[in-house]
């Protein structure tokens, strides 16, 4: 079934077996232009830009996921199901739930807790904590060590909601109950799709704001910190 409703690629082999997925399609463009060679753009549908290029001679793709589980759910599904993608590494940002995390710290995601119904509705899978793929995640940890980049290995919260105005929601409850150290909005759905297709998924996050200290980074500052994370992810294909 290609092209798919959301990816305008008509042939196999255009998209690499390893795909880096930032949330922002313009960040996908930046990664492709900054780190890859021989870049070809493969997707413009809905401006969810996707590119294939080479890194140290190895073929790799990078594509935006959009924000939230419905969006990454669609793109990662189509990549795994219809384009032969084997590994997706999400490279995103997160908000810190703990003061042990500072702005710009990098997290390798161990697993994702979520209140989302994604797994139940898509696969009849009731789990509320989904692990990242062990092998791929261990590879990311090893690469970080080799590159001398300090990373945290943590459980995170994949949230369905960015703006909370309910007295029933306290992020501190999630820290206490599930040991969630940070929040983003995509990993849980990505891990469910990988699990269903027996493929691999992992996630690297840079802390962009803190719900504890209320500090936040600017867009320009985020870009710099982001580069470290990309360097870790790119070494996976070497
Ligand atoms: N909440 C949810 N997702 C996020 C945040 C946040 O504070 N920061 C970066 N992604």
């Amino acid at each position: 079934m290609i092209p798919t409703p959301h990816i305008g690629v008509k042939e196999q082999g255009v998209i690499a077996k390893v795909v880096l997925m930032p949330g922002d399609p313009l960040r996908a463009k930046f990664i492709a232009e900054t780190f890859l060679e021989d870049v070809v753009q493969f997707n413009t549908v809905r401006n969810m830009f996707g590119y294939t290029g080479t890194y140290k001679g190895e073929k790799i793709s990078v594509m935006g996921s959009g924000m939230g589980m419905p969006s990454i759910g669609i793109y990662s599904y189509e990549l795994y199901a219809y384009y032969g993608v084997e590994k997706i590494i999400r490279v995103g940002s997160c908000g810190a739930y703990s003061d042990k995390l500072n702005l710009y710290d990098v997290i390798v995601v161990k697993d994702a807790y979520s209140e989302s119904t994604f797994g139940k509705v898509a696969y009849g899978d009731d789990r509320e904590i989904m692990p990242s793929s062990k092998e791929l995640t261990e590879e990311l940890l090893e690469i970080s060590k080799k590159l001398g980049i300090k990373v945290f290995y943590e459980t995170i919260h994949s949230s369905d909601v960015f703006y909370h105005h309910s007295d029933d929601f306290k992020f501190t409850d999630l820290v206490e109950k599930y040991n969630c150290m940070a929040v983003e909005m995509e990993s849980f759905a990505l891990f469910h799709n990988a699990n269903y297709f027996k493929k691999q998924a992992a996630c690297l996050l840079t802390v962009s704001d803190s719900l504890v200290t209320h500090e936040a980074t600017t867009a320009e500052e985020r870009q710099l910190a982001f580069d470290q994370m990309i360097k870790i992810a790119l070494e996976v294909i070497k």
Side-chain angles (χ1 to χ4, degrees):
M1 195 189 85
I2 58 172
T4 63
H6 310 94
I7 303 174
V9 174
K10 296 195 185 84
E11 295 122 44
Q12 296 297 343
V14 173
I15 303 176
K17 292 200 179 311
V18 182
V19 180
L20 301 195
M21 291 201 101
D24 179 354
L26 289 178
R27 202 162 271 170
K29 182 170 192 274
F30 173 86
I31 294 167
E33 286 172 353
T34 310
F35 295 98
L36 306 187
E37 288 175 66
D38 306 319
V39 174
V40 177
Q41 183 167 18
F42 67 75
N43 197 52
T44 56
V45 178
R46 287 177 183 254
N47 284 340
M48 196 56 80
F49 304 142
Y51 306 84
T52 297
T54 58
Y55 178 75
K56 296 186 182 171
E58 302 282 337
K59 190 169 164 182
I60 186 163
S61 294
V62 51
M63 181 178 176
S65 71
M67 289 186 286
M69 289 180 261
S71 189
I72 197 166
I74 289 170
Y75 293 110
S76 59
Y77 186 101
E78 292 180 9
L79 291 171
Y80 285 140
Y82 304 115
Y83 289 107
V85 170
E86 293 295 330
K87 298 179 186 179
I88 296 178
I89 305 171
R90 165 167 151 71
V91 283
S93 61
C94 64
Y97 274 177
S98 161
D99 62 8
K100 84 170 191 185
L101 291 169
N102 292 309
L103 296 184
Y104 310 119
D105 280 348
V106 176
I107 298 174
V108 174
V109 175
K110 181 174 159 198
D111 47 19
Y113 158 80
S114 186
E115 69 283 2
S116 161
T117 57
F118 186 92
K120 186 170 167 45
V121 174
Y123 303 119
D125 187 333
D126 277 333
R127 279 178 288 177
E128 54 180 15
I129 297 172
M130 285 304 291
S132 58
S133 302
K134 195 164 184 281
E135 211 179 299
L136 186 55
T137 299
E138 279 174 1
E139 212 176 329
L140 292 173
L141 289 168
E142 228 164 81
I143 291 164
S144 314
K145 206 189 247 176
K146 253 187 227 153
L147 294 178
I149 300 172
K150 181 189 172 186
V151 296
F152 291 79
Y153 178 56
E154 305 291 351
T155 297
I156 54 128
H157 174 208
S158 287
S159 180
D160 260 341
V161 174
F162 189 89
Y163 296 108
H164 292 274
H165 293 280
S166 160
D167 293 338
D168 293 339
F169 178 80
K170 292 188 197 72
F171 78 80
T172 47
D173 291 346
L174 300 181
V175 177
E176 240 170 67
K177 189 162 178 202
Y178 300 102
N179 210 27
C180 293
M181 289 292 115
V183 57
E184 49 88 88
M185 307 184 77
E186 291 82 14
S187 291
F188 184 76
L190 172 64
F191 296 168
H192 260 296
N193 281 348
N195 174 70
Y196 179 74
F197 288 109
K198 299 188 169 44
K199 306 262 184 162
Q200 296 190 56
C203 177
L204 286 162
L205 299 170
T206 300
V207 176
S208 62
D209 53 276
S210 170
L211 284 88
V212 185
T213 63
H214 304 291
E215 298 167 286
T217 55
T218 64
E220 299 79 55
E221 288 171 331
R222 273 206 291 281
Q223 192 68 65
L224 287 175
F226 207 74
D227 289 1
Q228 290 233 313
M229 190 168 65
I230 303 305
K231 282 176 191 152
I232 298 171
L234 283 170
E235 287 298 321
V236 163
I237 54 163
K238 277 309 301 154

